[in-house]
Amino acid sequence: MSTQLALDLPPLVAPLVPKHATIGERFAAFHEANPHVADALETLARQWFARRQKTGMKALVEQLRWQSGIQTEGDEYRINNDFTAMYSRLLIQRNPEWAARIETRTLRTA
């Protein structure tokens, strides 16, 4: 007889803003409710840059999800993939010297 894997996941939460809101509006609400996510990504980026020159934000987001089990509020996902580009720009805004080290692409909404 096999035992089913049990995952200790938080319950889904209602989004802070409607689904039809822009990514920027959704990100702003999520970031306001979860400032610890940007702080954790900044810490990971600092650790990464101590050993390497460049990274993509997606790699840092995936590492944060996998290694920390970070808890968030206000979106059905712990860290929505839609917010990756916004986090890269936020970290560059906080640390302008990282502009050449964090890969970014042109936003479709720009």
Side-chain angles (χ1 to χ4, degrees):
M1 183 162 94
S2 65
T3 305
Q4 183 163 345
L5 179 63
L7 298 175
D8 183 26
L9 298 175
L12 294 178
V13 296
L16 296 169
V17 294
K19 284 269 191 194
H20 65 273
T22 68
I23 291 174
E25 292 167 339
R26 290 175 29 232
F27 173 75
F30 182 82
H31 176 57
E32 185 176 334
N34 301 284
H36 61 285
V37 173
D39 296 340
L41 288 169
E42 192 170 10
T43 298
L44 284 174
R46 269 187 218 294
Q47 293 170 355
W48 183 263
F49 293 146
R51 298 181 313 261
R52 295 177 179 81
Q53 288 298 310
K54 290 186 129 189
T55 190
M57 187 55 56
K58 182 74 170 140
L60 296 178
V61 167
E62 294 297 346
Q63 183 178 358
L64 182 60
R65 281 184 188 135
W66 180 255
Q67 290 185 353
S68 75
I70 195 162
Q71 300 297 307
T72 61
E73 297 178 13
D75 194 88
E76 60 186 305
Y77 303 106
R78 288 184 188 202
I79 306 172
N80 194 318
N81 286 340
D82 291 349
F83 303 154
T84 304
M86 304 304 245
Y87 275 118
S88 63
R89 284 156 178 78
L90 178 61
L91 291 193
I92 290 170
Q93 181 182 18
R94 288 182 174 187
N95 305 276
E97 68 277 12
W98 291 354
R101 301 180 85 179
I102 296 176
E103 297 177 23
T104 59
R105 297 180 182 168
T106 303
L107 293 173
R108 286 185 257 168
T109 60

